Amino acid sequence: MAHVLVVTLNPALDLSIQLPRLEPGAVNRTRSSHLAAAGKGLNVAQVLVSLGHRVTLSGFLGADNDTAFVQACRRDGIEDASLRLPGETRINAKLAEDDGRVTDINGPGIEVSEAALAELTADLVARCKATSPAAVVVTGSLPPGATPEALAALIRALKASGVPVWIDTSGPALTAALAVLPDAAKPNEQELADWAGGPLTDPAAQLDAVRRLHASGVEEAILSLGGDGVLWVSRRGEWRATPPRVEVRNTVGAGDTLLAALLHGVIADQSPQEALRQATALAAEAVRHIGVGNPHAGDFQELLQQTSVSRCGEARVGGNA
């Protein structure tokens, strides 16, 4: 299908641990553990590839322990264009309990210099001009040395190349990113509440905040509500999706799955109902296991049928739905 450039500034090796229940201060016995290349960027790239797209993954990697990432990209058919820096990529521990609760213990990441950021920015802009990808996805946290202002400058440079920019980050990085108006953003409820300046106490408040985000200039305003579904406001209208009920095993990767699948729907020019239904169902498929959603799961058609999508109304800006 299309070519997508995915950028992850602070990737990680994920140590995923499944256990019945975490007992702090005690000896805990695990059911399983798995160490693998991970991070939001790799998650997004894997979903996009599974949906038929050609993906280039860029960002920063520690040169001393990049083998898992090299192998993951080769296995999944992802072009590896990450800039190698001296040192090691961080290791994050993710403790998943039987009740669905996940505890993340994340490392800070490898130190990034201004020179490295400038080199990466120049390379990304050159790739955009040379290959005209359908979109650039900038996702994940910021490593030490990369400021929110630096992220905003990167997004501004990518936008200037004429390629749509989708972002998924949090905290001050999200605030800085939203200030330069990316084409799409996917905050969760707390992140959007922080941006909106107050709690989103009911569905009406949630919809109003997403409308405001869209009205500010973010074309694809997406609110992820976990098990309560998704709100999406764009020029296509205002839509709410409710996912099917599934057994939640691990929520890590569900948000990345949602973002990637919705981007797929936009690139493929699907109807908003079809795009949001597929993205929501695929995110629900993801929470049933460790990893991202699998569009080839045997019961995926059933999950699609069990996913409800309804129209909330007309978007206030951005043209006709």
Side-chain angles (χ1 to χ4, degrees), residues 169-171 174-175 178 185-202 204-213 222-225 231:
T169 185
S170 59
L174 176 61
T175 301
L178 293 178
K186 186 197 68 62
N188 60 29
E189 185 174 3
Q190 185 56 58
E191 291 162 352
L192 185 60
D194 292 342
W195 175 85
L200 309 182
T201 54
D202 54 46
Q206 294 166 354
L207 179 58
D208 180 69
V210 185
R211 282 171 169 164
R212 287 171 54 194
L213 182 61
I222 308 152
L223 173 59
S224 173
L225 294 166
L231 279 172

Side-chain angles (χ1 to χ4, degrees), residues 125-288:
V125 170
R127 288 178 183 274
C128 287
K129 292 180 178 179
T131 65
S132 299
V136 180
V137 181
V138 181
T139 184
S141 62
L142 297 180
T147 64
E149 293 74 22
L151 176 64
L154 172 62
I155 294 171
R156 196 179 294 112
L158 291 171
K159 285 184 61 179
S161 72
V163 177
V165 180
W166 289 48
I167 63 104
D168 185 11
T169 185
S170 59
L174 176 61
T175 301
L178 293 178
V180 295
L181 302 179
D183 294 85
K186 186 197 68 62
N188 60 29
E189 185 174 3
Q190 185 56 58
E191 291 162 352
L192 185 60
D194 292 342
W195 175 85
L200 309 182
T201 54
D202 54 46
Q206 294 166 354
L207 179 58
D208 180 69
V210 185
R211 282 171 169 164
R212 287 171 54 194
L213 182 61
H214 174 69
S216 74
V218 177
E219 173 55 38
E220 312 291 347
I222 308 152
L223 173 59
S224 173
L225 294 166
D228 291 330
V230 185
L231 279 172
W232 178 26
V233 175
S234 77
R235 62 180 174 78
R236 301 163 186 82
E238 302 173 349
W239 302 89
R240 179 184 294 273
T242 303
R245 291 187 177 183
V246 297
E247 181 181 1
V248 177
R249 304 292 295 180
N250 193 323
T251 59
V252 176
D256 305 325
T257 297
L258 173 69
L259 179 73
L262 196 54
L263 173 58
H264 163 73
V266 170
I267 291 173
D269 199 26
Q270 295 176 342
S271 69
Q273 301 98 313
E274 182 183 2
L276 187 55
R277 178 174 286 109
Q278 178 175 258
T280 304
L282 195 56
E285 200 287 322
V287 304
R288 304 188 301 181

